[in-house]
Amino acid sequence: MRYIIIGAGAIGATIGGRLAESGSEVVLVARGAHAQALRADGLRLTTADGERVHRLPVAESPADLGELRPDDVLLLTVKTQDALAALDTWADAEVAGGGTAAQRLPVLCAQNGVESERLALRRFARVYGVCVWLPATFLEPGSVSALCAPLTGILHIGRAAGGADARARRIAADLEKAGFEAPVVEDVMRWKYAKLLGNLSNAIQATTGPEPEPAKAALLLRAIREAKAVFGAAGIPYASEDEQSAARGDKVEPPAGVRGGSSWQSLARGTGSVEADYLNGEVVLLGRLHGVPTPVNDTLRHAANIFAREGLPPGAMSVEDLTALADEAVARA
């Protein structure tokens, strides 16, 4: 199988680099300065084992590859706000022997949130969800670090519509060879909804900084309580904290020190957008559909989007000010 990594940022480049190290064929899809750096100098990937440089094929669109191969696997690792454009770009790519990527090839949604699977299922016949536990950092073109040990990450895989199959198991076997644990599960979206609860902190990190503080933990707890109430009203199951702790154990231990999450990194790179609409915003959407107030998550979503839109530096807001905004929203709800 050849793995086409659509969005070779923190997650995509780490998975792609590790797959290449273990002998898999990999193509990195990137744009702009990052694509230029990857072509010129290779992917500089730093893991707990040290730094390596991978010189891999780089594409910016399907046209760069010509006809796709029947054994290609599309690994979607762009941020969710960029997923629709990426899916539309690759869906109509022709595959050798006839048909399109949407008709013939598997697409794996290895992203935070739960929206990309729904977007993909509207276009692709073979859609898989991936629950990603893989702390990684991407702040400069061509360079990515993922320093967890003893495993680089844990990637639960399953069919987005439920169930598992032989293809998922073959992909999981390649990932296991590459330094990941890759459990194949029948209920991958249950794991992704559980991961979403933790990702509600991304907006807090982005706006107030990644340093742990009791006030930040308290605000996150309020956001999580809203989300759990929404999940209950919507009848959405999610993996319990005990299940997640048992699955992670001490397998993906990050090094000491403060690390900024994906939204913090987006602000630091000045990308102009963050995932808040598909993290906190997912809770807001479900709350509105099921009559459950979600003022805290809506405040976090709105604040993170302002930071991205106005180019504010990550961590420029105090947690006290953010909490005050949430309190005002709760009072209005």
Side-chain angles (χ1 to χ4, degrees):
M1 291 186 291
R2 179 175 69 168
Y3 291 90
I4 300 176
I5 311 296
I6 304 172
I11 301 302
T14 299
I15 295 174
R18 291 299 252 169
L19 282 168
E21 286 175 20
S22 64
S24 292
E25 191 174 355
V26 173
V27 175
L28 301 179
V29 178
R31 296 179 297 177
H34 188 43
Q36 294 173 12
L38 292 172
R39 287 193 179 105
D41 303 315
L43 167 65
R44 190 166 76 253
L45 176 63
T46 304
T47 68
D49 302 324
E51 181 183 299
R52 278 90 62 207
V53 175
H54 300 284
R55 296 191 176 276
L56 302 171
V58 178
E60 296 194 42
S61 72
D64 294 337
L65 299 178
E67 280 190 323
L68 301 184
R69 296 174 5 189
D71 68 336
D72 281 338
V73 174
L74 307 181
L75 187 64
L76 186 68
T77 53
V78 297
K79 297 290 195 302
T80 305
Q81 65 268 26
D82 299 319
L84 182 58
L87 289 165
D88 283 343
T89 294
W90 288 85
D92 292 334
E94 294 182 358
V95 179
T100 66
Q103 294 168 329
R104 297 186 58 192
L105 300 183
V107 58
L108 278 67
C109 299
Q111 299 146 301
N112 292 329
V114 295
E115 179 65 16
S116 287
E117 285 80 3
R118 295 190 288 239
L119 295 172
L121 283 165
R122 287 181 171 88
R123 294 159 176 80
F124 283 78
R126 299 167 178 82
V127 180
Y128 298 80
V130 183
C131 181
V132 178
W133 285 332
L134 200 177
T137 302
F138 168 45
L139 294 176
E140 60 181 272
S143 180
V144 170
S145 64
L147 301 175
C148 285
L151 297 173
T152 301
I154 300 176
L155 307 169
H156 286 69
I157 300 175
R159 295 179 61 178
D165 59 17
R167 181 183 286 109
R169 287 186 281 274
R170 288 196 299 272
I171 294 168
D174 284 347
L175 290 168
E176 297 268 0
K177 284 171 51 182
F180 301 95
E181 187 170 292
V184 178
V185 295
E186 301 277 337
D187 54 354
V188 70
M189 298 311 294
R190 192 173 72 93
W191 288 89
K192 294 200 72 167
Y193 274 102
K195 175 75 176 343
L196 174 61
L197 294 175
N199 285 136
L200 299 179
S201 67
N202 286 23
I204 300 173
Q205 274 199 3
T207 53
T208 69
E211 302 82 4
E213 295 180 32
K216 296 177 186 179
L219 188 57
L220 173 59
L221 181 59
R222 293 170 66 184
I224 290 174
R225 285 173 177 161
E226 286 183 354
K228 289 182 175 180
V230 163
F231 291 172
I236 294 172
Y238 56 94
S240 69
E241 293 178 9
D242 286 345
E243 286 179 278
Q244 294 179 80
S245 295
R248 284 194 302 264
D250 56 0
K251 303 170 189 174
V252 284
E253 290 297 315
V258 174
R259 303 172 61 87
S262 58
S263 296
W264 184 95
Q265 292 177 44
S266 291
L267 293 181
R269 294 200 311 276
T271 62
S273 68
V274 290
E275 294 175 287
D277 285 340
Y278 302 99
L279 301 177
N280 307 91
E282 179 70 27
V283 176
V284 174
L285 169 64
L286 290 170
R288 289 170 178 164
L289 289 173
H290 296 280
V292 178
T294 57
V296 173
N297 278 286
D298 199 28
T299 298
L300 299 180
R301 181 198 65 80
H302 185 59
N305 282 334
I306 288 175
F307 266 66
R309 184 169 60 248
E310 298 187 2
L312 299 175
M317 189 177 197
S318 73
V319 67
E320 291 78 15
D321 286 345
L322 185 59
T323 300
L325 290 176
D327 290 341
E328 291 174 9
V330 169
R332 291 193 304 267

